[in-house]
Amino acid sequence: MKKLMLIAASALFMITGCDENKAEKTADVKTAAPVVNQTAPAAQPAAEQNVVKSVDWDKALEMNAAGAVFVDVRNPPELNEGYAPNAVNIPLPELKQRMGELAKDKDLLIYCRSGRRSDAATRILMEQGYDRVYNVLGGYLAYPKK
């Protein structure tokens, strides 16, 4: 019985001690100055910086007719399947070295076979300051065959 009382008293002591510690931490958090993220540019909120803009093939073809450039990030052998009209082929592994070939003042429509590489390519270009880049949904597999 004495052991049970001792265990109960110890447990009660530990619980109240933990609650006091938690209260002190909460008080410290409430009095601390808010942290401001100064690494994000003021022009765009941080949440919007990583958002990949996507378009379907109908919209991409419409944008291409208005002057947007298709960028095919597939490897050369994959081009045997076909490609979008007047597409520039820059395979994803070469993109960082060849991105100077892409104009920042034009809309760039990025596609690959299924969409995974084009999403990665779009993110790479966005990280390098390209803001007019669009991932074409579904890749060339979704290209409208006429």
Side-chain angles (χ1 to χ4, degrees):
M1 185 73 163
K2 289 182 182 180
K3 288 183 183 178
L4 184 61
M5 293 292 281
L6 184 59
I7 292 172
S10 297
L12 183 62
F13 179 73
M14 287 176 38
I15 290 172
T16 57
C18 290
D19 285 343
E20 286 179 20
N21 195 12
K22 192 183 291 185
E24 289 174 13
K25 286 182 182 178
T26 305
D28 288 344
V29 170
K30 288 179 183 176
T31 59
V35 177
V36 178
N37 183 359
Q38 296 180 6
T39 59
Q44 262 185 332
E48 291 179 19
Q49 289 177 345
N50 297 328
V51 176
V52 172
K53 296 175 276 188
S54 298
V55 294
D56 62 16
W57 275 102
D58 291 333
K59 180 67 175 170
L61 290 166
E62 181 183 307
M63 291 173 70
N64 178 253
V69 177
F70 280 116
V71 180
D72 189 330
V73 295
R74 296 178 295 166
N75 296 316
E78 294 175 280
L79 299 178
N80 292 331
E81 296 176 26
Y83 46 88
N86 303 314
V88 175
N89 177 239
I90 301 178
L92 180 60
E94 299 174 16
L95 183 61
K96 286 185 180 179
Q97 292 78 30
R98 295 181 55 193
M99 71 176 53
E101 298 174 29
L102 303 172
K104 285 189 174 184
D105 63 344
K106 288 194 177 254
D107 290 332
L108 302 175
L109 304 164
I110 316 299
Y111 74 94
C112 62
R113 182 175 181 274
S114 64
R116 175 168 267 157
R117 286 176 285 177
S118 61
D119 181 69
T122 301
R123 291 178 188 281
I124 289 168
L125 290 168
M126 289 170 57
E127 288 170 2
Q128 297 302 313
Y130 288 80
D131 59 349
R132 295 176 64 179
V133 288
Y134 300 85
N135 181 32
V136 181
L137 294 171
Y140 194 74
L141 291 175
Y143 184 78
K145 311 295 190 259
K146 301 207 177 175

